[in-house]
Amino acid sequence: MSGGGSGPQGGHIEDGHAFENWTVVGHVADGGFAAVYRARYTGLRPADFPPMAALKAIVHLTPADREQLREEYEAARQLAGHPHIVEVFDVFEAPVPDRGRCVILVQELAEHSLRDQLLRSGPLGRPELMAVAADVARG
């Protein structure tokens, strides 16, 4: 559900909301465990981060879940530069007033979701599906 509404994970985050050095500039989609937003880097080290990223906001995790998620994403950071794996830029627990949200910032691949793409252009054909499956398997 693009552009508004309430996400499944603790409510919709409004445009302009800041998480450390990132500011939300648009809602992309809601998934099973996270709401995804476009975010602009507003920190003081622009050479260290891209100007835009996908911000995944996750809530309702136990401390053990948070630690496991952090470890998995730290491992994913070791694969930076792989052509079939999304790059992870940062993982952190949001400070007050957003305590309880785990924030993951990853490479932005598109300004819209796969769902939006499918709604616009219809189902993928067999060649496109095979290409996507092959890329996922390479990852």
Side-chain angles (χ1 to χ4, degrees), residues 73-124:
Y73 277 90
E74 287 299 325
R77 290 178 69 163
Q78 302 302 313
L79 301 172
H82 189 288
H84 300 291
I85 296 178
V86 173
E87 188 172 352
V88 177
F89 301 122
D90 204 358
V91 178
F92 58 90
E93 185 168 346
V96 173
D98 299 299
R99 183 146 326 274
R101 288 188 199 264
C102 182
V103 177
I104 303 164
L105 289 139
V106 299
Q107 177 183 6
E108 180 183 46
L109 298 178
E111 293 182 19
H112 57 273
S113 68
L114 176 59
R115 179 180 185 274
D116 293 339
Q117 174 74 28
L118 294 174
L119 288 173
R120 271 197 307 278
S121 55
L124 298 175

Side-chain angles (χ1 to χ4, degrees), residues 13-124:
I13 299 169
E14 297 297 323
D15 289 0
H17 189 81
F19 288 97
E20 293 194 1
N21 295 316
W22 298 89
T23 300
V24 172
V25 296
H27 179 250
V28 176
D30 293 314
F33 73 97
V36 180
Y37 301 87
R38 294 186 77 222
R40 175 177 291 116
Y41 182 70
T42 55
L44 299 176
R45 299 184 342 227
D48 293 347
F49 296 99
M52 299 294 289
L55 182 150
K56 293 183 175 187
I58 306 168
V59 296
H60 306 304
L61 296 175
T62 67
D65 291 338
R66 276 192 217 98
E67 185 57 31
Q68 180 179 351
L69 190 62
R70 188 180 327 275
E71 288 173 9
E72 288 174 9
Y73 277 90
E74 287 299 325
R77 290 178 69 163
Q78 302 302 313
L79 301 172
H82 189 288
H84 300 291
I85 296 178
V86 173
E87 188 172 352
V88 177
F89 301 122
D90 204 358
V91 178
F92 58 90
E93 185 168 346
V96 173
D98 299 299
R99 183 146 326 274
R101 288 188 199 264
C102 182
V103 177
I104 303 164
L105 289 139
V106 299
Q107 177 183 6
E108 180 183 46
L109 298 178
E111 293 182 19
H112 57 273
S113 68
L114 176 59
R115 179 180 185 274
D116 293 339
Q117 174 74 28
L118 294 174
L119 288 173
R120 271 197 307 278
S121 55
L124 298 175

